[in-house]
Amino acid sequence: MAGDQDRESNRDEVARREDVRDTYDRIATHFASTREYAWPEVEAFVDAHARDGVGLDLGCGNCRHAELLAADCESVVGLDVSRGLLETGRDRACERAFAVELVQSDAATLPLAENSVDIAVYVATLHHLPTRAARRDSLDELARVLSPDGRALVSAWSTAHDRFDATEGFDTTVEWTLPGGEPVDRFYHIYAPDEFEVDLADSDLAVRASEVSSGNCYATVAGAEPTG
Amino acid sequence: MKESLLEILCCPLDKHDLELEDAEYDDEEVVGGDLVCTECGEAYPIEDGIPNLLPPDMREETPA
């Protein structure tokens, strides 16, 4: 019986992850058009840690952050669950003449080899994974693919944002309004800052710095093996 | 995708190497074909130049 329940809940989780993918496929073009500029927190991270190696934009959307990485990295991989968003990333790379290798993938089961990534940004994506187990898996996966000296910036939306009253983390949907006025719901897990820190601490990642900025939790992290 | 990307790609399920099969090229870009896991044999399609490496249970088209 327990096995049946596990299978049932696994199907439910897969369906919820597919919902996120389908939602972003649907709103991809309009969403990308409103995501013109890189976030300053991401620019600061890339300035501090950029190197000549493999860069990863995990949850790349329209590749605005892959574009930052492309200025320094030998090669950049952009991963996203939404094919529609990857297409907007390809358009941006073409228009702005930067190189990015695009891969459709789930953030909790990365198709990248161990120690293959030197610098990664995992920004505004973790909060779309529907269960804590999936979010923790994805942090462990990031630790697995980071090289021993690699660094990543992880961010998630937080209860510290003005629009939320809660002090504990919670699941919600946030509407996206298409140009015709049609609303589309997107799943979010809004993190409490201490919950974000606990999830990171319990993962295979090693936290090097963290902050709350503009309503988001940020952490600069290293891979699984401490390098001293 | 560039063929050199294979150096760091792996099967999302068991993390083993992938082999490129039935590749179609446009200049140096691989635009079609399959990435096949050398361990479990799962085939991941390259769709218009973008490999689809979603785990198989998330790859299915959702019914309309």
Side-chain angles (χ1 to χ4, degrees), chain A residues 78-166:
Chain A
L79 257 60
D80 206 283
V81 75
S82 160
R83 170 80 198 197
L85 282 178
L86 289 165
E87 301 278 357
T88 69
R90 176 144 74 181
D91 291 347
R92 186 181 178 105
C94 199
E95 283 162 16
R96 293 164 178 250
F98 65 93
V100 58
E101 288 289 333
L102 299 171
V103 178
Q104 190 173 8
S105 141
D106 170 38
T109 49
L110 296 182
L112 294 172
E114 199 174 315
N115 301 338
S116 61
V117 171
D118 299 298
I119 177 170
V121 293
Y122 185 24
V123 168
T125 301
L126 178 68
H127 51 217
H128 290 311
L129 294 173
T131 63
R132 186 169 192 218
R135 293 190 291 274
R136 293 275 302 279
D137 284 350
S138 99
L139 295 171
D140 287 346
E141 279 286 82
L142 180 60
R144 182 181 63 79
V145 304
L146 274 180
S147 68
D149 296 325
R151 292 288 182 276
L153 180 70
V154 182
S155 89
W157 215 3
S158 136
T159 54
H161 195 277
D162 302 343
R163 68 182 278 162
F164 305 119
D165 293 329

